[in-house]
mmCIF file of all heavy atoms in Angstrom:
data_model
loop_
_atom_site.group_PDB
_atom_site.id
_atom_site.type_symbol
_atom_site.label_atom_id
_atom_site.label_comp_id
_atom_site.label_asym_id
_atom_site.label_seq_id
_atom_site.Cartn_x
_atom_site.Cartn_y
_atom_site.Cartn_z
ATOM 1 N N PRO A 8 35.776 88.276 86.869
ATOM 2 C CA PRO A 8 36.236 89.101 85.743
ATOM 3 C C PRO A 8 37.674 89.594 85.888
ATOM 4 O O PRO A 8 38.345 89.818 84.885
ATOM 5 C CB PRO A 8 35.239 90.256 85.739
ATOM 6 C CG PRO A 8 33.991 89.674 86.319
ATOM 7 C CD PRO A 8 34.475 88.727 87.389
ATOM 8 N N ASN A 9 38.165 89.739 87.097
ATOM 9 C CA ASN A 9 39.531 90.209 87.307
ATOM 10 C C ASN A 9 40.494 89.078 87.651
ATOM 11 O O ASN A 9 41.661 89.328 87.963
ATOM 12 C CB ASN A 9 39.563 91.260 88.428
ATOM 13 C CG ASN A 9 38.783 92.507 88.069
ATOM 14 O OD1 ASN A 9 38.824 92.969 86.926
ATOM 15 N ND2 ASN A 9 38.044 93.050 89.022
ATOM 16 N N GLY A 10 40.001 87.854 87.587
ATOM 17 C CA GLY A 10 40.835 86.713 87.950
ATOM 18 C C GLY A 10 41.640 86.180 86.779
ATOM 19 O O GLY A 10 41.339 86.456 85.610
ATOM 20 N N PRO A 11 42.673 85.378 87.039
ATOM 21 C CA PRO A 11 43.555 84.861 85.983
ATOM 22 C C PRO A 11 42.886 83.833 85.072
ATOM 23 O O PRO A 11 43.383 83.573 83.971
ATOM 24 C CB PRO A 11 44.704 84.221 86.767
ATOM 25 C CG PRO A 11 44.096 83.863 88.093
ATOM 26 C CD PRO A 11 43.102 84.953 88.385
ATOM 27 N N LEU A 12 41.769 83.254 85.506
ATOM 28 C CA LEU A 12 41.106 82.224 84.703
ATOM 29 C C LEU A 12 39.920 82.764 83.918
ATOM 30 O O LEU A 12 39.268 82.010 83.190
ATOM 31 C CB LEU A 12 40.620 81.086 85.605
ATOM 32 C CG LEU A 12 41.702 80.339 86.397
ATOM 33 C CD1 LEU A 12 41.070 79.340 87.346
ATOM 34 C CD2 LEU A 12 42.678 79.652 85.452
ATOM 35 N N TYR A 13 39.652 84.055 84.010
ATOM 36 C CA TYR A 13 38.461 84.643 83.394
ATOM 37 C C TYR A 13 38.441 84.418 81.886
ATOM 38 O O TYR A 13 39.419 84.675 81.192
ATOM 39 C CB TYR A 13 38.420 86.138 83.698
ATOM 40 C CG TYR A 13 37.267 86.872 83.057
ATOM 41 C CD1 TYR A 13 35.959 86.556 83.378
ATOM 42 C CD2 TYR A 13 37.499 87.884 82.126
ATOM 43 C CE1 TYR A 13 34.898 87.233 82.797
ATOM 44 C CE2 TYR A 13 36.443 88.566 81.547
ATOM 45 C CZ TYR A 13 35.148 88.240 81.889
ATOM 46 O OH TYR A 13 34.103 88.903 81.302
ATOM 47 N N ARG A 14 37.329 83.863 81.411
ATOM 48 C CA ARG A 14 37.082 83.556 80.001
ATOM 49 C C ARG A 14 38.037 82.486 79.450
ATOM 50 O O ARG A 14 38.165 82.327 78.241
ATOM 51 C CB ARG A 14 37.135 84.813 79.120
ATOM 52 C CG ARG A 14 36.100 85.858 79.487
ATOM 53 C CD ARG A 14 36.072 87.002 78.488
ATOM 54 N NE ARG A 14 35.386 86.601 77.267
ATOM 55 C CZ ARG A 14 34.084 86.776 77.054
ATOM 56 N NH1 ARG A 14 33.322 87.335 77.980
ATOM 57 N NH2 ARG A 14 33.522 86.398 75.918
ATOM 58 N N GLN A 15 38.668 81.744 80.346
ATOM 59 C CA GLN A 15 39.549 80.662 79.923
ATOM 60 C C GLN A 15 38.789 79.339 79.872
ATOM 61 O O GLN A 15 37.945 79.061 80.734
ATOM 62 C CB GLN A 15 40.728 80.524 80.891
ATOM 63 C CG GLN A 15 41.619 81.740 80.988
ATOM 64 C CD GLN A 15 42.324 82.049 79.684
ATOM 65 O OE1 GLN A 15 42.976 81.180 79.101
ATOM 66 N NE2 GLN A 15 42.182 83.275 79.212
ATOM 67 N N VAL A 16 39.091 78.525 78.868
ATOM 68 C CA VAL A 16 38.576 77.151 78.836
ATOM 69 C C VAL A 16 39.332 76.363 79.903
ATOM 70 O O VAL A 16 40.559 76.250 79.844
ATOM 71 C CB VAL A 16 38.760 76.511 77.452
ATOM 72 C CG1 VAL A 16 38.321 75.050 77.465
ATOM 73 C CG2 VAL A 16 37.984 77.282 76.394
ATOM 74 N N VAL A 17 38.618 75.837 80.887
ATOM 75 C CA VAL A 17 39.277 75.174 82.017
ATOM 76 C C VAL A 17 38.998 73.672 82.069
ATOM 77 O O VAL A 17 39.590 72.968 82.900
ATOM 78 C CB VAL A 17 38.886 75.835 83.360
ATOM 79 C CG1 VAL A 17 39.436 77.254 83.434
ATOM 80 C CG2 VAL A 17 37.383 75.813 83.572
ATOM 81 N N SER A 18 38.123 73.171 81.215
ATOM 82 C CA SER A 18 37.903 71.721 81.115
ATOM 83 C C SER A 18 37.403 71.392 79.714
ATOM 84 O O SER A 18 36.675 72.183 79.107
ATOM 85 C CB SER A 18 36.861 71.223 82.137
ATOM 86 O OG SER A 18 37.414 71.079 83.416
ATOM 87 N N VAL A 19 37.802 70.237 79.231
ATOM 88 C CA VAL A 19 37.285 69.725 77.959
ATOM 89 C C VAL A 19 37.042 68.232 78.102
ATOM 90 O O VAL A 19 37.752 67.538 78.841
ATOM 91 C CB VAL A 19 38.251 69.973 76.771
ATOM 92 C CG1 VAL A 19 38.404 71.464 76.489
ATOM 93 C CG2 VAL A 19 39.609 69.328 77.010
ATOM 94 N N TYR A 20 36.037 67.753 77.397
ATOM 95 C CA TYR A 20 35.801 66.312 77.279
ATOM 96 C C TYR A 20 35.227 66.055 75.894
ATOM 97 O O TYR A 20 34.010 66.023 75.712
ATOM 98 C CB TYR A 20 34.851 65.780 78.357
ATOM 99 C CG TYR A 20 34.870 64.260 78.410
ATOM 100 C CD1 TYR A 20 35.644 63.592 79.344
ATOM 101 C CD2 TYR A 20 34.130 63.507 77.490
ATOM 102 C CE1 TYR A 20 35.681 62.208 79.382
ATOM 103 C CE2 TYR A 20 34.171 62.128 77.515
ATOM 104 C CZ TYR A 20 34.948 61.480 78.463
ATOM 105 O OH TYR A 20 34.999 60.110 78.487
ATOM 106 N N PRO A 21 36.108 65.900 74.888
ATOM 107 C CA PRO A 21 35.608 65.588 73.546
ATOM 108 C C PRO A 21 35.032 64.187 73.499
ATOM 109 O O PRO A 21 35.560 63.266 74.126
ATOM 110 C CB PRO A 21 36.864 65.713 72.665
ATOM 111 C CG PRO A 21 38.010 65.493 73.607
ATOM 112 C CD PRO A 21 37.571 66.014 74.946
ATOM 113 N N PHE A 22 33.947 64.024 72.761
ATOM 114 C CA PHE A 22 33.291 62.721 72.664
ATOM 115 C C PHE A 22 33.947 61.848 71.590
ATOM 116 O O PHE A 22 33.274 61.158 70.834
ATOM 117 C CB PHE A 22 31.806 62.900 72.339
ATOM 118 C CG PHE A 22 30.991 63.510 73.459
ATOM 119 C CD1 PHE A 22 29.661 63.853 73.250
ATOM 120 C CD2 PHE A 22 31.536 63.748 74.709
ATOM 121 C CE1 PHE A 22 28.899 64.412 74.267
ATOM 122 C CE2 PHE A 22 30.797 64.311 75.737
ATOM 123 C CZ PHE A 22 29.464 64.642 75.515
ATOM 124 N N ILE A 23 35.264 61.855 71.549
ATOM 125 C CA ILE A 23 35.994 61.083 70.538
ATOM 126 C C ILE A 23 35.775 59.582 70.735
ATOM 127 O O ILE A 23 35.652 58.821 69.776
ATOM 128 C CB ILE A 23 37.496 61.423 70.594
ATOM 129 C CG1 ILE A 23 37.728 62.894 70.213
ATOM 130 C CG2 ILE A 23 38.297 60.506 69.665
ATOM 131 C CD1 ILE A 23 39.158 63.348 70.392
ATOM 132 N N HIS A 24 35.736 59.166 71.989
ATOM 133 C CA HIS A 24 35.552 57.742 72.303
ATOM 134 C C HIS A 24 34.126 57.456 72.773
ATOM 135 O O HIS A 24 33.874 56.442 73.413
ATOM 136 C CB HIS A 24 36.557 57.307 73.368
ATOM 137 C CG HIS A 24 37.985 57.596 73.024
ATOM 138 N ND1 HIS A 24 38.606 57.080 71.896
ATOM 139 C CD2 HIS A 24 38.916 58.376 73.643
ATOM 140 C CE1 HIS A 24 39.850 57.512 71.847
ATOM 141 N NE2 HIS A 24 40.059 58.294 72.888
ATOM 142 N N GLY A 25 33.211 58.356 72.468
ATOM 143 C CA GLY A 25 31.830 58.212 72.897
ATOM 144 C C GLY A 25 31.485 59.252 73.948
ATOM 145 O O GLY A 25 32.362 59.890 74.532
ATOM 146 N N PRO A 26 30.187 59.444 74.214
ATOM 147 C CA PRO A 26 29.755 60.446 75.194
ATOM 148 C C PRO A 26 30.318 60.162 76.577
ATOM 149 O O PRO A 26 30.637 59.026 76.921
ATOM 150 C CB PRO A 26 28.227 60.321 75.182
ATOM 151 C CG PRO A 26 27.896 59.683 73.872
ATOM 152 C CD PRO A 26 29.043 58.760 73.573
ATOM 153 N N ILE A 27 30.436 61.189 77.369
ATOM 154 C CA ILE A 27 30.893 61.052 78.739
ATOM 155 C C ILE A 27 29.876 60.243 79.545
ATOM 156 O O ILE A 27 28.670 60.290 79.285
ATOM 157 C CB ILE A 27 31.098 62.457 79.371
ATOM 158 C CG1 ILE A 27 31.873 62.372 80.691
ATOM 159 C CG2 ILE A 27 29.753 63.173 79.574
ATOM 160 C CD1 ILE A 27 32.328 63.727 81.222
ATOM 161 N N THR A 28 30.357 59.478 80.506
ATOM 162 C CA THR A 28 29.459 58.708 81.372
ATOM 163 C C THR A 28 28.938 59.602 82.498
ATOM 164 O O THR A 28 29.500 60.662 82.776
ATOM 165 C CB THR A 28 30.188 57.512 81.988
ATOM 166 O OG1 THR A 28 31.236 57.990 82.848
ATOM 167 C CG2 THR A 28 30.780 56.610 80.908
ATOM 168 N N ALA A 29 27.897 59.130 83.159
ATOM 169 C CA ALA A 29 27.356 59.891 84.290
ATOM 170 C C ALA A 29 28.392 60.031 85.397
ATOM 171 O O ALA A 29 28.514 61.090 86.019
ATOM 172 C CB ALA A 29 26.098 59.203 84.818
ATOM 173 N N GLU A 30 29.149 58.977 85.642
ATOM 174 C CA GLU A 30 30.154 59.017 86.698
ATOM 175 C C GLU A 30 31.239 60.041 86.388
ATOM 176 O O GLU A 30 31.671 60.807 87.268
ATOM 177 C CB GLU A 30 30.780 57.632 86.888
ATOM 178 C CG GLU A 30 29.847 56.591 87.482
ATOM 179 C CD GLU A 30 28.836 56.056 86.467
ATOM 180 O OE1 GLU A 30 29.019 56.274 85.249
ATOM 181 O OE2 GLU A 30 27.859 55.425 86.909
ATOM 182 N N LYS A 31 31.687 60.077 85.137
ATOM 183 C CA LYS A 31 32.733 61.039 84.777
ATOM 184 C C LYS A 31 32.189 62.465 84.710
ATOM 185 O O LYS A 31 32.902 63.423 85.047
ATOM 186 C CB LYS A 31 33.375 60.645 83.443
ATOM 187 C CG LYS A 31 34.273 59.425 83.542
ATOM 188 C CD LYS A 31 35.003 59.148 82.243
ATOM 189 C CE LYS A 31 35.980 57.982 82.429
ATOM 190 N NZ LYS A 31 36.746 57.684 81.186
ATOM 191 N N LEU A 32 30.934 62.618 84.310
ATOM 192 C CA LEU A 32 30.350 63.962 84.304
ATOM 193 C C LEU A 32 30.266 64.497 85.723
ATOM 194 O O LEU A 32 30.510 65.686 85.966
ATOM 195 C CB LEU A 32 28.964 63.943 83.663
ATOM 196 C CG LEU A 32 28.246 65.303 83.621
ATOM 197 C CD1 LEU A 32 29.071 66.347 82.861
ATOM 198 C CD2 LEU A 32 26.862 65.161 82.990
ATOM 199 N N ALA A 33 29.933 63.639 86.678
ATOM 200 C CA ALA A 33 29.885 64.069 88.075
ATOM 201 C C ALA A 33 31.230 64.604 88.522
ATOM 202 O O ALA A 33 31.314 65.603 89.246
ATOM 203 C CB ALA A 33 29.449 62.905 88.962
ATOM 204 N N VAL A 34 32.309 63.960 88.099
ATOM 205 C CA VAL A 34 33.645 64.434 88.439
ATOM 206 C C VAL A 34 33.944 65.749 87.729
ATOM 207 O O VAL A 34 34.458 66.701 88.329
ATOM 208 C CB VAL A 34 34.704 63.377 88.070
ATOM 209 C CG1 VAL A 34 36.114 63.927 88.312
ATOM 210 C CG2 VAL A 34 34.494 62.107 88.887
ATOM 211 N N LEU A 35 33.632 65.810 86.441
ATOM 212 C CA LEU A 35 33.915 67.013 85.652
ATOM 213 C C LEU A 35 33.252 68.246 86.258
ATOM 214 O O LEU A 35 33.841 69.338 86.276
ATOM 215 C CB LEU A 35 33.439 66.818 84.210
ATOM 216 C CG LEU A 35 33.914 67.859 83.190
ATOM 217 C CD1 LEU A 35 35.396 67.655 82.885
ATOM 218 C CD2 LEU A 35 33.096 67.784 81.903
ATOM 219 N N LEU A 36 32.038 68.085 86.761
ATOM 220 C CA LEU A 36 31.290 69.209 87.302
ATOM 221 C C LEU A 36 31.748 69.620 88.695
ATOM 222 O O LEU A 36 31.335 70.669 89.196
ATOM 223 C CB LEU A 36 29.800 68.866 87.354
ATOM 224 C CG LEU A 36 29.102 68.596 86.014
ATOM 225 C CD1 LEU A 36 27.636 68.251 86.232
ATOM 226 C CD2 LEU A 36 29.245 69.794 85.069
ATOM 227 N N SER A 37 32.591 68.812 89.325
ATOM 228 C CA SER A 37 32.989 69.098 90.705
ATOM 229 C C SER A 37 34.486 69.341 90.864
ATOM 230 O O SER A 37 35.004 69.312 91.986
ATOM 231 C CB SER A 37 32.563 67.947 91.620
ATOM 232 O OG SER A 37 33.178 66.725 91.229
ATOM 233 N N LEU A 38 35.191 69.603 89.769
ATOM 234 C CA LEU A 38 36.626 69.843 89.847
ATOM 235 C C LEU A 38 36.923 71.167 90.554
ATOM 236 O O LEU A 38 36.153 72.124 90.436
ATOM 237 C CB LEU A 38 37.235 69.863 88.451
ATOM 238 C CG LEU A 38 37.261 68.527 87.708
ATOM 239 C CD1 LEU A 38 37.672 68.739 86.253
ATOM 240 C CD2 LEU A 38 38.209 67.545 88.387
ATOM 241 N N PRO A 39 38.045 71.252 91.253
ATOM 242 C CA PRO A 39 38.405 72.510 91.915
ATOM 243 C C PRO A 39 38.862 73.543 90.887
ATOM 244 O O PRO A 39 39.207 73.196 89.754
ATOM 245 C CB PRO A 39 39.557 72.104 92.832
ATOM 246 C CG PRO A 39 40.182 70.925 92.150
ATOM 247 C CD PRO A 39 39.030 70.185 91.509
ATOM 248 N N PRO A 40 38.862 74.826 91.246
ATOM 249 C CA PRO A 40 39.336 75.859 90.325
ATOM 250 C C PRO A 40 40.772 75.584 89.891
ATOM 251 O O PRO A 40 41.598 75.122 90.684
ATOM 252 C CB PRO A 40 39.247 77.146 91.153
ATOM 253 C CG PRO A 40 38.230 76.853 92.206
ATOM 254 C CD PRO A 40 38.391 75.391 92.526
ATOM 255 N N GLY A 41 41.054 75.880 88.630
ATOM 256 C CA GLY A 41 42.400 75.668 88.122
ATOM 257 C C GLY A 41 42.438 75.854 86.622
ATOM 258 O O GLY A 41 41.414 76.103 85.977
ATOM 259 N N THR A 42 43.618 75.716 86.059
ATOM 260 C CA THR A 42 43.776 75.845 84.615
ATOM 261 C C THR A 42 43.289 74.586 83.917
ATOM 262 O O THR A 42 43.004 73.558 84.556
ATOM 263 C CB THR A 42 45.249 76.079 84.260
ATOM 264 O OG1 THR A 42 46.002 74.898 84.613
ATOM 265 C CG2 THR A 42 45.826 77.284 85.002
ATOM 266 N N LEU A 43 43.229 74.640 82.604
ATOM 267 C CA LEU A 43 42.804 73.488 81.814
ATOM 268 C C LEU A 43 43.688 72.280 82.080
ATOM 269 O O LEU A 43 43.202 71.157 82.279
ATOM 270 C CB LEU A 43 42.829 73.849 80.329
ATOM 271 C CG LEU A 43 42.558 72.718 79.333
ATOM 272 C CD1 LEU A 43 41.175 72.134 79.530
ATOM 273 C CD2 LEU A 43 42.726 73.225 77.891
ATOM 274 N N THR A 44 45.001 72.479 82.104
ATOM 275 C CA THR A 44 45.906 71.349 82.300
ATOM 276 C C THR A 44 45.818 70.805 83.714
ATOM 277 O O THR A 44 45.868 69.585 83.930
ATOM 278 C CB THR A 44 47.352 71.766 81.970
ATOM 279 O OG1 THR A 44 47.674 72.976 82.673
ATOM 280 C CG2 THR A 44 47.522 71.991 80.472
ATOM 281 N N GLN A 45 45.684 71.682 84.699
ATOM 282 C CA GLN A 45 45.578 71.221 86.083
ATOM 283 C C GLN A 45 44.300 70.414 86.294
ATOM 284 O O GLN A 45 44.326 69.315 86.856
ATOM 285 C CB GLN A 45 45.603 72.426 87.032
ATOM 286 C CG GLN A 45 46.952 73.110 87.106
ATOM 287 C CD GLN A 45 46.901 74.474 87.772
ATOM 288 O OE1 GLN A 45 45.827 75.045 87.985
ATOM 289 N NE2 GLN A 45 48.068 75.026 88.106
ATOM 290 N N ARG A 46 43.185 70.966 85.844
ATOM 291 C CA ARG A 46 41.905 70.289 86.060
ATOM 292 C C ARG A 46 41.821 68.973 85.277
ATOM 293 O O ARG A 46 41.222 68.005 85.747
ATOM 294 C CB ARG A 46 40.754 71.218 85.660
ATOM 295 C CG ARG A 46 40.477 72.298 86.689
ATOM 296 C CD ARG A 46 39.593 73.393 86.118
ATOM 297 N NE ARG A 46 38.336 72.926 85.576
ATOM 298 C CZ ARG A 46 37.163 72.957 86.217
ATOM 299 N NH1 ARG A 46 37.103 73.423 87.462
ATOM 300 N NH2 ARG A 46 36.062 72.529 85.627
ATOM 301 N N THR A 47 42.429 68.926 84.107
ATOM 302 C CA THR A 47 42.373 67.690 83.316
ATOM 303 C C THR A 47 43.149 66.575 83.987
ATOM 304 O O THR A 47 42.699 65.412 84.019
ATOM 305 C CB THR A 47 42.903 67.935 81.896
ATOM 306 O OG1 THR A 47 42.114 68.947 81.254
ATOM 307 C CG2 THR A 47 42.845 66.657 81.066
ATOM 308 N N LEU A 48 44.308 66.891 84.550
ATOM 309 C CA LEU A 48 45.078 65.851 85.233
ATOM 310 C C LEU A 48 44.377 65.411 86.518
ATOM 311 O O LEU A 48 44.352 64.215 86.849
ATOM 312 C CB LEU A 48 46.494 66.359 85.531
ATOM 313 C CG LEU A 48 47.506 65.319 86.031
ATOM 314 C CD1 LEU A 48 47.541 64.076 85.137
ATOM 315 C CD2 LEU A 48 48.894 65.939 86.144
ATOM 316 N N ILE A 49 43.785 66.344 87.245
ATOM 317 C CA ILE A 49 43.004 65.977 88.433
ATOM 318 C C ILE A 49 41.818 65.107 88.029
ATOM 319 O O ILE A 49 41.494 64.118 88.693
ATOM 320 C CB ILE A 49 42.532 67.242 89.173
ATOM 321 C CG1 ILE A 49 43.730 67.995 89.769
ATOM 322 C CG2 ILE A 49 41.540 66.878 90.287
ATOM 323 C CD1 ILE A 49 43.387 69.364 90.325
ATOM 324 N N PHE A 50 41.171 65.442 86.905
ATOM 325 C CA PHE A 50 40.059 64.638 86.393
ATOM 326 C C PHE A 50 40.516 63.210 86.104
ATOM 327 O O PHE A 50 39.837 62.239 86.455
ATOM 328 C CB PHE A 50 39.506 65.290 85.117
ATOM 329 C CG PHE A 50 38.440 64.494 84.422
ATOM 330 C CD1 PHE A 50 37.117 64.568 84.835
ATOM 331 C CD2 PHE A 50 38.753 63.680 83.348
ATOM 332 C CE1 PHE A 50 36.133 63.833 84.191
ATOM 333 C CE2 PHE A 50 37.781 62.942 82.690
ATOM 334 C CZ PHE A 50 36.454 63.023 83.112
ATOM 335 N N ALA A 51 41.683 63.066 85.475
ATOM 336 C CA ALA A 51 42.192 61.730 85.147
ATOM 337 C C ALA A 51 42.488 60.932 86.404
ATOM 338 O O ALA A 51 42.252 59.717 86.453
ATOM 339 C CB ALA A 51 43.443 61.852 84.279
#
């Protein structure tokens, strides 16, 4: 609650190109703490 990321959206995966795969969901769920932009680039 007192941290800089509190209530921030820190990851997104829109199903624009279809649902996320199991392999990519595994990565999405295990990303390190960070901002939306940091975690998205690490995800990529």
Side-chain angles (χ1 to χ4, degrees):
N9 296 320
L12 299 174
Y13 177 62
R14 299 187 77 92
Q15 299 296 307
V16 176
V17 293
S18 281
V19 295
Y20 193 98
F22 291 173
I23 295 174
H24 305 301
I27 193 169
T28 64
E30 291 76 15
K31 287 186 175 181
L32 179 58
V34 175
L35 192 73
L36 297 179
S37 60
L38 291 170
T42 66
L43 174 61
T44 51
Q45 290 166 347
R46 283 166 56 98
T47 301
L48 190 50
I49 293 171
F50 175 83

